[in-house]
Each structure stands twice: as structure tokens, then as C-alpha cells.
């Protein structure tokens, strides 16, 4: 087996999942390997050394795994942004478009205080729809987004441009061609 030296080396591709023609980038193999997982968390943290970050926001669902680990390393709070109906208590909602239809993301209405510095984290940046919905929720609560960090970018799908057009700083650990 070849020696794994980069985060990308730990990510497997599953062909035709969940539908024919899709190249699914599976980060569970990255998460399962202690060296790979540590490498990803360390590399996701590195650009923010010395930055003030008050909370890490993770986008459902793999963003929870990454975001929790990053929040722990930074000694700050973690806030989940979830699909509609998954959070108890009072929430605010944001609709966003999917390839076929729409979806809704939610966050607790007291999860972020005005002026708090936020790092948004997820595993994959594709079209940017989920991240853009999360950004809008954070901004509605008065949070100030420091950056958005992802393990994988699929550049052909244009998500990075969507987020940059919203004024976001975006960092990614690796890119994969093809959807």
C-alpha cells in the first residue's frame, strides 16, 4: 500500500453513489484513520492561528465531526446548523435550493451572539448552497464570519465562487475534479 502523505490520500471515491454518474468523495476513511484525521484537523486549524474565533459552526452532518474537533482544539464553543426539524427549542430557518427542489437549514436562535467571530466548517464544498444558507443564518444572528473551511472542494460545481461572492474567505485542503 502506498504511503499516505496528504489528506487527499485518505479520501476514497465511490463510483455511482448515491446515483449513477456521481463520484462520491467519502471522508469516512479519513475520519477512521487517526493519522489522517489529525492531519486534516491540524491543517484546517493552521490558517487561523492567532485569529480571534469565538465559535465554530458545523454544517450537517460531517461538519459536526470536523467542527467539534476544531472547536475542542481552539477551546471555543461549537454550534450545529441542522436540517429542519432536528433541533429542539426555538430556531430560525433558511431555505436554499438543491439540484432538484429546496431544503431548509436551522440554528437555535440563541446559539450565536452579535459580534461573535465564527469559523464555518464542513467536509465538502460543492454548489455552495448549504454553506450559503448557514452563512445567512449566522449573519441574521449577528455573527461575524472569519472564514469557511472545507476538506474538499469540487471546483467544477462553483461553490467557492458562490461563497466568495458573499464576501467569504474560503479555505480547502484538497480538490477533486468531477462531480
Amino acid at each position: 500500500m502506498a504511503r499516505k502523505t496528504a489528506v487527499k490520500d485518505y479520501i476514497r471515491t465511490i463510483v455511482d453513489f448515491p446515483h449513477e454518474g456521481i463520484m462520491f468523495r467519502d471522508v469516512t476513511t479519513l475520519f477512521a484513520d487517526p493519522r489522517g484525521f489529525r492531519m486534516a484537523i491540524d491543517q484546517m486549524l493552521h490558517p487561523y492561528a492567532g485569529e480571534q474565533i469565538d465559535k465554530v459552526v458545523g454544517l450537517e452532518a460531517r461538519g459536526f465531526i470536523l467542527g467539534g474537533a476544531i472547536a475542542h482544539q481552539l477551546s471555543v464553543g461549537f454550534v450545529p446548523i441542522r436540517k429542519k426539524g432536528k433541533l429542539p427549542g426555538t430556531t430560525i430557518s433558511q431555505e436554499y435550493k438543491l439540484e432538484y427542489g429546496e431544503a431548509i437549514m436551522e440554528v437555535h436562535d440563541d446559539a450565536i451572539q452579535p459580534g461573535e467571530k465564527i469559523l464555518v466548517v464542513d467536509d465538502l464544498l460543492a454548489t455552495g448552497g448549504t454553506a450559503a444558507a448557514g452563512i445567512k443564518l449566522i449573519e441574521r444572528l449577528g455573527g461575524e464570519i472569519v472564514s469557511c473551511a472545507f476538506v474538499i472542494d469540487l471546483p467544477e460545481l462553483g461553490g467557492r465562487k458562490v461563497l466568495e461572492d458573499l464576501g467569504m474567505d474560503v479555505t480547502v485542503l484538497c480538490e477533486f475534479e468531477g462531480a
Side-chain angles (χ1 to χ4, degrees), residues 4-176:
K4 296 176 180 175
T5 59
V7 167
K8 190 173 186 174
D9 298 336
Y10 292 90
I11 299 166
R12 72 177 159 192
T13 298
I14 300 175
V15 178
D16 293 330
F17 182 85
H19 306 289
E20 189 174 331
I22 302 292
M23 302 286 284
F24 186 81
R25 309 308 177 174
D26 182 16
V27 294
T28 63
T29 49
L30 170 68
F31 295 166
D33 186 285
R35 185 173 181 274
F37 189 49
R38 165 67 69 188
M39 183 187 302
I41 297 304
D42 288 349
Q43 288 179 16
M44 290 180 88
L45 281 165
H46 182 75
Y48 311 107
E51 292 266 353
Q52 179 190 342
I53 295 173
D54 299 309
K55 289 185 179 156
V56 174
V57 166
L59 304 175
E60 183 152 340
R62 291 171 297 274
F64 299 168
I65 297 165
L66 295 161
I70 291 169
H72 172 77
Q73 289 296 105
L74 293 172
S75 298
V76 300
F78 172 77
V79 175
I81 291 185
R82 302 215 55 192
K83 294 176 184 169
K84 182 179 171 129
K86 300 288 186 180
L87 290 171
T90 308
T91 61
I92 61 169
S93 302
Q94 182 66 48
E95 288 186 11
Y96 66 104
K97 294 191 184 310
L98 297 170
E99 189 173 347
Y100 301 105
E102 294 184 345
I104 299 173
M105 298 298 280
E106 295 182 327
V107 67
H108 281 124
D109 67 356
D110 60 355
I112 296 168
Q113 301 307 308
E116 285 187 316
K117 307 290 188 212
I118 308 297
L119 174 62
V120 178
V121 175
D122 204 359
D123 68 319
L124 179 75
L125 177 57
T127 65
T130 304
I135 288 163
K136 290 174 185 169
L137 288 168
I138 294 163
E139 290 178 338
R140 285 171 51 198
L141 293 175
E144 298 174 15
I145 300 167
V146 172
S147 186
C148 301
F150 303 89
V151 174
I152 302 167
D153 182 19
L154 302 177
E156 293 174 26
L157 298 181
R160 183 180 198 124
K161 181 174 179 354
V162 168
L163 300 188
E164 288 173 344
D165 286 351
L166 292 173
M168 296 297 116
D169 174 68
V170 177
T171 63
V172 298
L173 300 187
C174 62
E175 295 181 349
F176 283 92

